[in-house]
Amino acid sequence: MHRHSELRITLCIAGYVVVLMMVCALSSPLFDRTATDSSVFVAMGRAMLNGKVVYKDVFDHKGLYLYFLNAFAVLMTGKSLLGLFVVECVFMFLCARIVYAMLSKYTDRITAFLAMQIFMMIVMRRTIFEGGNLTEEYSLLFHVCAIYLVVRDEGRHSCLMMMLQGVLAGITLCFRPNMMMMWGGIALVSGVDMLRKKRFMLLLGNIAAGLAGLVISLLPAVIYAVLNDSVNDTLFGMFGYNFVYISGAAPFLKRAASVMIHADKFLLLSLILSAIIMFNKSPYYWAMLAFSAASVCISGRTYGHYYICLAVFMLPFAYEAALRIPKNKYKFMIPAVMVITVLLGFRPPEFVRAFFGREVIPPDEYIRCNEPYYSEHERVLVTRNDVRLYNVLGVIPQEKYFYVPSNSYEAFPEPVDSQISSILSGVNDVIIIKYRKEEHEIYPESGRSEEIAAYLAENYDLLYRDESNNTAMYGRK
């Protein structure tokens, strides 16, 4: 009977997550599109499947396993985003199911389910989830697993537990390095506790087990880099560039203040209430929260999805809120929370975005204009960061810097200079120029805008001008 009940609740959670993802994830069949960052990751995955070496042949600055995951999604369904949708649903389902399992240790099944719903309501908020297929979305699963292991371990400091924590930390590092910082809190509290109790041999065993887990999880990335002779490129892509990315940022305390001020207010309130609930209860909670908050503050940027890793720390609030709802109200609250989550997370269709003046790519026009040039080996260059157009046209980026990351030209000129050289070389069949707002200059920061415009006028035809996106599409004469 118990096994039957667990299967039923698992199926309920799976169905619940799929419904939410259908209306919140851009990879859903309802939308079938990708946002800016997600487009980069899909393009990297497609490039990998076509023999390109990540970081060496095509550049981005997230972790290697993110591209493996996108490559797997593309492998499943080709140009369709259905494979990506399935991958995202699996990750989010596992996250929700583990949260439910963790909470059900302390309360009945129906209360644990409602608390899980409250947790999902915050994670899936449109201003936080931001369409999905982002490093923070995938890393959330490993953060939840880490907390679940801490809860299960109950202070025994099992070496097996620490090895698993090492595996989780290493996987997260290979999605986005700063997301690994949460495990600093686990190591700190565990280490101090074992030192305080003078359990020195156990401490050494934990250190060895944690390092072993870390090595195991990093091994595929190391093998990939060594076999493709891309160790230096990988180190720069995953670590070196990110120091460039945060160069010129304000002092850390100022960045932290900015990040907190711009945090989603509902998430921030939930974290404050959770902190009050957890006051003087668990040193793990406070240490992991402090390290995670520091990881969010590093860049000083306030993109909504950066805050996803903090959502796991509002579980005390979700649990207490569910406990305080009378049981006779559950039959109304469970569907009500689901409806609220859908309303808070729903992504507006393209025509609605266009009505409110948001940038919308008309894919049919780009595809039609590209047809005379299309081939398996077509070379397309898209300037700046409209990476979605590579995926819309079904072409593989051929330039290493197939888009320009969001840093200043002075801090990192290589992507802009590389794209300018590519344009002037004449090797591209199609060039799509993304102008800055109210400008019709091409990379004016380089001082070569007039030279580029003259070259395009002489060697390329204007195929299409997308006024709403300030974009022009050129084809070789």
Side-chain angles (χ1 to χ4, degrees), residues 152-166:
R152 285 289 301 270
D153 186 65
E154 297 179 335
R156 294 188 299 269
H157 305 304
S158 160
C159 289
L160 175 60
M161 186 276 287
M162 193 55 69
M163 186 184 75
L164 293 175
Q165 294 286 14

Side-chain angles (χ1 to χ4, degrees), residues 29 41 94 97 128 185 262 319:
F41 309 149
L94 291 173
R97 183 63 179 84
I128 295 178
H262 292 91
Y319 173 72

